[in-house]
Amino acid sequence: MDEIVRQAMTKWPNVPHCFGWLRLDARGGWRMRDERAQHLNLPGERISHPALLAFIERNYAGDEQGRWHFQNGPQRVYVDLELTPYIVRTQPGPAGAPQLVFHTGETVGQIDAAWLDEHGRLYIRDGEKSGGVDDRDMAQLLPHLQVDDDSDENEEALLRWLEGDDSVTARLVLGTYIIDLQRIRSDHLAQQFNFTATPRQA
């Protein structure tokens, strides 16, 4: 968190929180949602200003109730999450394996667990950070989703595993990581990763 933000929080501790005006989309884009966007349930206008994006991402955090927010000076701006609190992207890594980074620019340091949902989207956990992979990056990670099976058709075996076939084991094999995949339903993400998708004032 920026020091200027800490000082503002101390100086003005009782500024009302803001709800519904900021959204993180499923591709890691920040969107500003005015009253019209909120009323019509529109995604909102994508924020593109580099300095503003950097400021939001430096001051982005979750609270004890799993509500994620951007600390804008003394005001806490709660974030609607289209997918998960973090979105994971790929970038070129050593030895040809993709490297994973969060939408905030932080490198994924330690993959603790990995899940695959019914749509074939990958989710990973790095300590307290959990995120779904940007759908545009899934093609680069598909070769790293491997299944123990006698056949040569890895993708077919992976589909069988997704459908509940426990005779095979699916793994994420990425660099030095070999992580057994777990199944997850896309409508159970908030429960699994302990976040509130649409924080609202009580």
Side-chain angles (χ1 to χ4, degrees), residues 110-114 125-128 177 179:
Q110 175 72 39
I111 302 176
D112 301 321
R125 184 180 68 212
D126 173 5
E128 297 182 356
Y177 294 107
I179 306 290

Side-chain angles (χ1 to χ4, degrees), residues 3-52:
E3 182 58 32
I4 192 171
V5 171
R6 295 183 191 277
Q7 292 174 6
M9 290 169 65
T10 301
K11 189 172 183 179
W12 296 287
N14 299 314
V15 174
H17 300 327
C18 179
F19 296 85
W21 286 78
L22 188 62
R23 180 175 185 172
L24 179 68
D25 69 27
R27 290 181 167 177
W30 293 101
R31 294 182 176 271
M32 185 65 68
R33 306 180 72 239
D34 59 16
E35 291 182 356
R36 179 177 179 274
Q38 293 178 51
H39 180 71
L40 298 176
N41 197 28
L42 299 173
E45 182 179 353
R46 187 158 183 163
I47 300 171
S48 59
H49 192 282
L52 178 55

Side-chain angles (χ1 to χ4, degrees), residues 66-133:
R67 302 179 302 175
W68 287 78
H69 60 274
F70 153 52
Q71 191 71 45
N72 182 27
Q75 184 178 56
R76 184 170 285 189
V77 180
Y78 282 98
V79 179
D80 289 356
L81 303 171
E82 185 177 348
L83 189 67
T84 49
Y86 287 89
I87 302 301
V88 180
R89 297 173 178 147
T90 63
Q91 64 183 20
Q99 186 172 30
L100 302 182
V101 294
F102 293 114
H103 74 277
T104 53
E106 301 162 277
T107 301
V108 174
Q110 175 72 39
I111 302 176
D112 301 321
W115 296 259
L116 211 60
D117 72 12
E118 70 274 18
H119 306 297
R121 189 191 289 260
L122 179 68
Y123 303 84
I124 62 99
R125 184 180 68 212
D126 173 5
E128 297 182 356
K129 296 184 177 73
S130 299
V133 172

Side-chain angles (χ1 to χ4, degrees), residues 92-189:
Q99 186 172 30
L100 302 182
V101 294
F102 293 114
H103 74 277
T104 53
E106 301 162 277
T107 301
V108 174
Q110 175 72 39
I111 302 176
D112 301 321
W115 296 259
L116 211 60
D117 72 12
E118 70 274 18
H119 306 297
R121 189 191 289 260
L122 179 68
Y123 303 84
I124 62 99
R125 184 180 68 212
D126 173 5
E128 297 182 356
K129 296 184 177 73
S130 299
V133 172
D134 186 325
D135 60 350
R136 297 168 296 185
D137 292 70
M138 278 305 303
Q140 297 179 54
L141 291 174
L142 188 58
H144 301 276
L145 305 179
Q146 300 180 12
V147 177
D148 290 341
D149 188 66
D150 293 334
S151 74
D152 295 328
E153 301 298 330
N154 186 70
E155 289 187 28
E156 289 184 10
L158 185 60
L159 286 173
R160 293 204 316 273
W161 176 84
L162 272 175
E163 292 169 355
D165 185 350
D166 289 324
S167 68
V168 294
T169 300
R171 294 187 176 96
L172 171 65
V173 181
L174 187 63
T176 59
Y177 294 107
I178 302 176
I179 306 290
D180 284 352
L181 288 171
Q182 304 172 61
R183 300 183 192 95
I184 190 169
R185 287 186 52 85
S186 57
D187 57 356
H188 290 173
L189 296 174

